[in-house]
Amino acid sequence: MKGAVLYAVGQPLQVEELTVQNPRQGEVMVRVAAGGVCHSDLHVMNGDLTAPLPVVLGHEGAGVVEKVGEGVSEFKPGDHVVLLWRASCGECFFCLSGRPALCDLGAGIRWSGHLADGTSRFSRAGQEIRHFAGVSSFAELTVLPREGLVKIDPEIPLAQAAVVGCAVMTGVGAVINTAKVEPGASMVVIGCGGVGLNAIQGGSLAGAEKIIAVDILDNKLAYARQFGATHTINASQVDPIEAIKELTEGRGADYAFEVIGNPKTITQAYRMIRRGGTLVVVGVAPVTAEVSINASSIMLEEKMIRGSLYGSCRPKLDAPRLLNLYKAGKLKLDELISREYPIAQINEAFDALRRGEVARSVIRMTSS
Ligand code: COD
Ligand code: ZN
């Protein structure tokens, strides 16, 4: 079967024939229908985020169960599933407290590139190839832990289901689950890519009154308006902090969401919120980066800083809920998918993401 492999930082992906082993105990093999092209994969390709290499990239996807390993009774061949980039055990302190994104199971898989038994199912000519975040959706077939899948309504188109696996749960979740934005609030979203646009539509769902989108590209700001932004600011043309103050009676916004992963824009976002406001950091900066924040303001202005990992979601609850909102016409997924590429053109899909041309694109493995 075909898969897209990253062998070294700075190199393009190699699309090649790989061997995939059968699922073992507690694992599920999925025939991937669509894999979303997210900036986090690009961060790994350019070395801003690390992952054990070589690796089959892709951490957003949906598909159809092909085979199940021993002991798996909740899935059967033919089930439609969304793939999760943070599997969670359901039993630990974090899972029981409703914070499954913080479970050790998914983190272990992410940093080792191995499934839970410490091995990989992918290889090529005897060379081991790692999993990415336990998903590896840029492959025709992939193997996941049973805890990394959510069964979905088979009527949902699988490309639309795929983007729920990362962009939508991460972006909408940051607003609804992490920040719990209330009706009438003002909020800023810095970075209007695949994830940021979903923070914007999360703001619409929450009933925020002002949703201010900040980007450096006008085409991204046009997408932002389509997803519910009430105001847009091009940060390459005006000082975005001053512009936010003007739009919020000089106070600053109630909430700011940083959806890029850049220390400079994290600092900007902190300065955009009002006294007592909340900054939610969704993007991850390069591992050694530090953020500069005026120390006294934290206390004197009672500002809050929150991280949001995977939109603080509870995937088995949130994925079906989001897909129901899509079916009810209340969540934009069709509009999110700007382009579809065959796997042979995956490097072109990443070039388009680098150039800022798309809201989200997906790699299509099957036509369903
Ligand atoms: N000011 C304003 N906007 C900017 C600036 C700037 N200085 N620099 C870039 N932007 C805009 C770009 O024009 C673009 O529109 C947007 O920021 C980024 O969008 P995308 O589409 O390139 O990125 P996404 O939405 O696919 O990914 C954003 C993340 C924040 C998820 C990603 O970058 C990240 O930080 N990933 C690491 C966190 C992680 O691992 N998450 C798990 C999987 S997503
Ligand atoms: Zn992602």
Side-chain angles (χ1 to χ4, degrees):
M1 64 105 193
K2 279 201 182 57
V5 181
L6 179 71
Y7 281 93
V9 166
Q11 284 184 6
L13 300 178
Q14 302 290 329
V15 178
E16 50 194 18
E17 278 300 317
L18 305 176
T19 302
V20 59
Q21 287 173 25
N22 276 329
R24 297 187 186 170
Q25 170 114 28
E27 296 173 358
V28 177
M29 180 184 274
V30 174
R31 184 165 292 280
V32 181
V37 177
C38 179
H39 210 120
S40 301
D41 300 284
L42 197 51
H43 281 314
V44 174
M45 290 164 71
N46 64 25
D48 284 340
L49 288 178
T50 57
L53 305 180
V55 63
V56 178
L57 279 182
H59 65 277
E60 180 180 275
V64 180
V65 171
E66 179 89 2
K67 288 181 192 170
V68 298
E70 227 177 281
V72 177
S73 53
E74 70 275 38
F75 298 104
K76 58 178 188 322
D79 283 348
H80 288 208
V81 285
V82 168
L83 315 185
L84 305 174
W85 55 261
R86 276 285 150 129
S88 47
C89 73
E91 287 165 10
C92 70
F93 171 85
F94 295 103
C95 287
L96 293 176
S97 18
R99 311 283 294 275
L102 302 179
C103 174
D104 282 338
L105 175 66
I109 292 172
R110 165 67 180 88
W111 297 111
S112 67
H114 284 144
L115 296 184
D117 72 349
T119 63
S120 170
R121 304 291 156 268
F122 298 116
S123 62
R124 178 176 155 84
Q127 181 186 16
E128 181 197 66
I129 298 177
R130 308 281 178 126
H131 297 250
F132 184 52
V135 173
S136 293
S137 51
F138 299 150
E140 291 171 316
L141 291 168
T142 185
V143 176
L144 294 97
R146 67 198 298 177
E147 299 89 349
L149 299 163
V150 183
K151 204 186 293 187
I152 57 161
D153 176 350
E155 282 181 11
I156 304 271
L158 286 165
Q160 279 76 347
V163 294
V164 167
C166 177
V168 182
M169 270 203 289
T170 305
V172 174
V175 175
I176 306 272
N177 299 331
T178 311
K180 299 189 170 61
V181 166
E182 66 279 13
S186 60
M187 57 177 265
V188 180
V189 175
I190 313 189
C192 305
V195 182
L197 291 172
N198 281 290
I200 290 169
Q201 70 169 335
S204 297
L205 286 169
E209 188 246 329
K210 280 200 180 86
I211 305 173
I212 308 168
V214 181
D215 206 287
I216 46 177
L217 297 175
D218 282 332
N219 67 317
K220 294 305 184 88
L221 294 172
Y223 284 131
R225 277 188 287 276
Q226 197 188 351
F227 280 79
T230 56
H231 301 78
T232 56
I233 295 170
N234 187 325
S236 69
Q237 288 163 14
V238 295
D239 175 349
I241 300 168
E242 284 311 310
I244 299 292
K245 294 255 162 81
E246 267 170 44
L247 288 169
T248 53
E249 293 150 10
R251 272 199 307 274
D254 300 333
Y255 298 92
F257 297 85
E258 200 278 353
V259 201
I260 303 168
N262 175 338
K264 267 181 57 188
T265 44
I266 293 173
T267 302
Q268 277 182 344
Y270 180 79
R271 295 181 57 203
M272 286 170 182
I273 53 173
R274 63 162 166 79
R275 293 197 293 279
T278 302
L279 160 62
V280 180
V281 180
V282 181
V284 171
V287 272
T288 53
E290 301 204 343
V291 171
S292 164
I293 281 173
N294 177 272
S296 68
S297 69
I298 300 173
M299 185 280 245
L300 291 175
E301 299 181 14
E302 287 199 357
K303 288 187 171 183
M304 284 173 284
I305 305 177
R306 278 285 316 258
S308 180
L309 177 65
Y310 214 164
S312 312
C313 66
R314 294 135 307 161
K316 298 204 172 181
L317 202 65
D318 288 334
R321 190 177 273 179
L322 290 163
L323 289 168
N324 284 341
L325 284 169
Y326 165 68
K327 281 209 296 193
K330 294 180 179 169
L331 187 77
K332 294 183 165 65
L333 299 183
D334 302 339
E335 298 81 346
L336 193 61
I337 302 170
S338 315
R339 290 184 198 165
E340 298 192 350
Y341 292 88
I343 193 164
Q345 288 173 19
I346 192 163
N347 290 301
E348 288 163 45
F350 276 102
D351 287 342
L353 177 67
R354 229 180 247 118
R355 291 192 297 265
E357 290 172 8
V358 289
R360 199 58 149 193
S361 68
V362 297
I363 306 301
R364 278 317 288 239
M365 252 68 71
T366 67
S367 58
S368 52

